[in-house]
Amino acid sequence: MTAAACSAPGTTQAVAQTATTGSTTGVAPTCGADPVVLSTYIETGFALPKSLTEEFTKQHPNVTFDIREDQFAVITQNAPRVLADDPPDLMRLPQVSDLAKDGLLLNLDSYATAFGWDKWPASQLMQMRVDGEGRRGNGPLYAMGLNYSMTGVFYNKDLAAQIGMTEAPKTLAELDGYLQKAKDAGITPIAQFNGGATGGLAFPLQALMASYGQPSKINAWTFQQPDATIDTPDNLKAAEHLDKWIKAGYFAADVNSLDYSTMMSRFVGGKSLLMFNGDWESGNLDTQMPGKAGFFLLPPVDAGGKVGAMSAPLTYGIAAKAKHPACAAFFLDWIATNDTARTIAVEVGGSHPMGPTDAFMPKVDASSVTAQTLAAGSTIGTDDGSMEFIANATGEIYAKSWTPNLQKLMGGQQTPAGLLSAVQADYEAKIGG
């Protein structure tokens, strides 16, 4: 145990730790038969991680979970300190490049070989690979996903019917028309969280970036590729479009004090036409609003154009100094390969599980919002429109740059051009560009 705890991040620790969990040389690690408590640091407000841990304990009674929860923005700020001072076995990761480069995350390549993750579609793991320069897309694997999530636009079907919106809009101009009709009818067009340390306006902004530009350029920026910039003409058009929505009064009046849970309760309660959110809420909405919620990807500027969306693994990593790395890796593999776990990923998480292309997939009610989000995921795959979240470009950029600048934009204290310029300057200061 001492040798495992003191070894450098990577294969050495992984191999050493397997001996303490019942695994043998040449066999994929397991959690063994002795009692194991996996310390887990997760994002508050989401049912999927807890549902998976509860099912795992049912199937493996010797394993229990010590769960700590925080908001995403808090995890973003705390991640380096937590991984260094009180390293959990499993942790929801806001961004992996800085953490991997600083030696705070375990190199998972040995587990990828042992479990066969390296035989899955490469695109599933690309965003969690980090090279020696801290750039994502290549290099060792430092994290795994609970599922492959995606964001878009949820809408209330009853409210949509009141303004004549009987199907998803095909262009941005058509969507703009519906937003104005909703406002004219006394309906809040968009309830979007943007309060505290979490700038939820990044969701519609990035969706607009995909409508106006190429997702590949967003990925180059979030992956810290050489000379990448967020301050482009296409992104300026997107920011100006968001500003147009702000000035038109399409967001709730208290948007800058609105937190995530309040946004959800308002939408579920029928108090807003739209919200920009992720498919992780699909199962929840199918339960709380059966048959009354719909989903669409933000449409392009011109009808028939390609679409894009934030689409990334719900990322979890293992601390470099984790006490039970092999058991944690076994849990991550179980999530992607166990039939019940994959069913939970779809029914609770609302999105496609990780794993092999021929793995089990549960049946989904064709009329459900979950079915719509899964279908949208296929469209994103066809259009090659998958984007990493712009808030994950560096470890600090969400809380310290995107959020305050988006709140200032909402409050009329920032311009679209100033927003992009300020964020790019903070990005370059962080990565040394």
Side-chain angles (χ1 to χ4, degrees):
M1 286 296 292
T2 302
C6 296
S7 61
T11 304
T12 302
Q13 183 182 353
V15 173
Q17 188 67 25
T18 59
T20 73
T21 56
S23 179
T24 57
T25 303
V27 178
T30 72
C31 290
D34 295 334
V36 177
V37 178
L38 289 179
S39 59
T40 309
Y41 189 17
I42 69 174
E43 184 178 0
T44 190
F46 296 94
L48 178 60
K50 288 186 176 179
S51 296
L52 289 168
T53 58
E54 289 168 1
E55 177 60 30
F56 188 80
T57 296
K58 288 180 184 177
Q59 296 187 25
H60 303 275
N62 65 305
V63 181
T64 55
F65 293 81
D66 179 13
I67 298 176
R68 171 186 174 185
E69 296 183 70
D70 264 325
Q71 292 184 356
F72 184 73
V74 176
I75 293 176
T76 297
Q77 297 181 68
N78 288 352
R81 178 180 56 79
V82 170
L83 287 166
D85 299 341
D86 187 20
D89 295 306
L90 284 165
M91 181 173 175
R92 170 75 167 103
L93 298 177
Q95 199 265 359
V96 296
S97 58
D98 294 343
L99 302 174
K101 188 176 181 180
D102 292 341
L104 297 173
L105 295 177
L106 189 66
N107 179 334
L108 302 183
D109 277 354
S110 62
Y111 293 127
T113 299
F115 290 116
W117 300 342
D118 50 4
K119 295 181 174 59
W120 298 355
S123 60
Q124 288 190 22
L125 306 178
M126 179 181 68
Q127 292 170 320
M128 299 174 290
R129 295 189 178 279
V130 183
D131 66 17
E133 301 296 321
R135 294 172 180 149
R136 286 188 293 161
N138 294 291
L141 183 69
Y142 283 98
M144 182 57 68
L146 300 194
N147 60 6
Y148 215 82
S149 61
M150 180 192 63
T151 64
V153 188
F154 290 97
Y155 68 98
N156 183 305
K157 290 183 177 180
D158 290 343
L159 295 181
Q162 292 180 30
I163 60 170
M165 180 177 151
T166 57
E167 61 180 10
K170 295 180 174 60
T171 65
L172 275 182
E174 187 178 351
L175 174 60
D176 288 345
Y178 287 132
L179 294 175
Q180 185 61 49
K181 286 183 178 180
K183 184 185 177 186
D184 292 343
I187 300 168
T188 299
I190 309 170
Q192 194 68 26
F193 71 102
N194 201 50
T198 51
L201 285 187
F203 282 49
L205 174 60
Q206 185 163 357
L208 286 162
M209 287 177 175
S211 295
Y212 279 101
Q214 299 176 18
S216 61
K217 292 185 178 180
I218 301 298
N219 284 333
W221 188 76
T222 56
F223 288 0
Q224 299 184 9
Q225 296 301 313
D227 301 321
T229 180
I230 199 71
D231 193 1
T232 67
D234 286 337
N235 290 342
L236 178 58
K237 292 176 183 177
E240 288 172 341
H241 204 120
L242 177 64
D243 194 47
K244 181 174 72 173
W245 286 353
I246 292 171
K247 288 181 168 60
Y250 294 158
F251 291 95
D254 59 348
V255 60
N256 268 356
S257 61
L258 199 64
D259 62 17
Y260 184 89
S261 61
T262 305
M263 175 191 72
M264 284 299 303
S265 65
R266 288 185 185 180
F267 182 77
V268 171
K271 296 180 179 179
S272 62
L273 175 65
L274 307 178
M275 70 170 176
F276 288 78
N277 208 339
D279 52 12
W280 51 82
E281 291 291 357
S282 298
N284 178 36
L285 294 175
D286 278 328
T287 298
Q288 296 200 53
M289 300 175 63
K292 294 186 177 181
F295 179 87
F296 61 86
L297 297 168
L298 196 69
V301 174
D302 300 315
K306 291 186 176 183
V307 293
M310 287 181 275
S311 180
L314 185 59
T315 308
Y316 274 69
I318 300 173
K321 296 181 180 180
K323 292 181 180 179
H324 307 289
C327 185
F330 178 73
F331 172 64
L332 292 173
D333 182 72
W334 172 87
I335 291 171
T337 58
N338 179 269
D339 288 0
T340 303
R342 290 177 64 85
T343 300
I344 292 171
V346 172
E347 294 182 351
V348 177
S351 55
H352 203 289
M354 305 284 288
T357 54
D358 60 351
F360 166 82
M361 278 292 289
K363 292 182 179 179
V364 177
D365 182 352
S367 64
S368 66
V369 72
T370 297
Q372 294 177 50
T373 55
L374 290 173
S378 297
T379 299
I380 291 298
T382 300
D383 284 1
D384 195 24
S386 175
M387 296 180 291
E388 169 62 292
F389 190 20
I390 54 176
N392 294 341
T394 76
E396 299 177 346
I397 205 159
Y398 191 24
K400 294 187 177 181
S401 193
W402 279 120
T403 294
N405 280 290
L406 284 167
Q407 289 172 342
K408 289 176 182 177
L409 184 71
M410 175 58 69
Q413 300 171 337
Q414 180 60 286
T415 65
L419 165 75
L420 297 177
S421 177
V423 171
Q424 181 63 22
D426 290 339
Y427 172 88
E428 292 177 3
K430 176 63 179 178
I431 69 171

